[in-house]
Amino acid sequence: MSSLLVIASGNAGKVREFGHMLAGLQLQIRPQPEGLEVEETGDTFAENARLKASAVARASGCWALADDSGLSVTALGGTPGVHSARYGPSDPERIARLLRELDGAGDRSARFTAALAVADPSGTIRLEVEGICPGEILEEQRGTGGFGYDPVFFVPEAGLTYAEMDKALKGRIGHRGQAFALLAPQLRELLDAGL
C-alpha cells in the first residue's frame, strides 16, 4: 500500500513534475482539492511554501508537499524574488522588464531558489529544504528550452543558460533538483516511520 501525498498545486504540469521527481518513493500523488486557493503572503520562498503546505494538508486531511521558487537578482535588491511569477503578465514581458531594469548594471549576479515544505494532515510542517542555483543574468536570451527566466539565467558552472540545458542536467544542478535531492532522503525517513 503506497502512501498518499497531495501536491499543493492545481497546476497539472507541476503535479506531474513532482510525481516524476518522487517516483522512487512509491507514493500515490494527487493535486490539491479543486477550487482551493492559498494566498502567498509570505516575504520569503520558505514562508510561502509553508503557507501552502499547511493549508492544503488541513483542507485535504492528507500529507502535503508545497514549493515556492523564484529568481533573486543582486543589483535589484533581490527582486523579483517572491513576486517572480507576477513580475509581468507573460514570460516575454517578465524577461523584457528584467533586462530593462538591469540595463547598464555592472553586477548581473542572481540566483534561483526553490523552497519545499511538507506538512502532516494537521497542517504541522514536518520537513523543509531549500535548493539554490547561483548564476547571472545575460543581456540577451539564449536557448529554447524551459520557461520563465530560463533563457537569460546563465549558470557559469555549466556554461549554459537554463534554456540551453537538457532536463537531466537542469534537474541535477537546478534549484528545484537540488531541493528535491535534499528532500528525498528525509521524506523516505518519514515514510518508513509510517507517513
Side-chain angles (χ1 to χ4, degrees):
M1 173 76 187
S2 66
S3 302
L4 176 64
L5 183 67
V6 175
I7 305 301
S9 176
N11 178 321
K14 186 178 273 194
V15 173
R16 259 195 317 277
E17 182 184 0
F18 278 35
H20 176 73
M21 289 180 164
L22 297 167
L25 295 178
Q26 267 102 53
L27 286 166
Q28 187 186 337
I29 303 289
R30 79 167 190 234
Q32 70 185 31
E34 223 168 291
L36 177 65
E37 289 295 323
V38 182
E39 232 183 301
E40 297 178 27
T41 55
D43 292 327
T44 65
F45 300 116
E47 282 178 33
N48 282 334
R50 283 194 295 268
L51 282 169
K52 291 189 279 190
S54 190
V56 169
R58 283 194 309 272
S60 66
C62 300
W63 286 76
L65 167 64
D67 85 314
D68 194 42
S69 57
L71 177 69
S72 302
V73 180
T74 308
L76 302 179
T79 298
V82 294
H83 305 291
S84 291
R86 299 180 292 282
Y87 204 53
S90 67
D91 286 349
E93 289 166 290
R94 285 187 276 277
I95 289 173
R97 177 178 176 189
L98 180 65
L99 295 181
R100 222 177 20 256
E101 292 185 4
L102 273 177
D103 191 34
D107 180 1
R108 298 184 76 87
S109 63
R111 67 187 202 172
F112 260 113
T113 303
L116 300 175
V118 176
D120 67 22
S122 75
T124 302
I125 301 299
R126 299 286 297 274
L127 271 182
E128 284 187 273
V129 296
E130 200 167 75
I132 293 171
C133 183
E136 54 195 59
I137 304 300
L138 297 179
E139 292 182 17
E140 291 180 4
Q141 298 184 46
R142 283 184 14 196
T144 56
F147 58 93
Y149 302 96
D150 289 4
V152 292
F153 185 74
F154 179 77
V155 182
E157 170 192 345
L160 300 166
T161 65
Y162 265 5
E164 294 173 307
M165 294 180 190
D166 61 35
K167 278 186 177 167
L169 178 61
K170 187 180 176 190
R172 196 169 63 251
I173 69 172
H175 56 299
R176 193 166 281 123
Q178 288 186 41
F180 268 97
L182 294 170
L183 181 80
Q186 296 180 54
L187 192 54
R188 167 55 56 207
E189 281 179 32
L190 269 182
L191 289 171
D192 290 345
L195 179 150

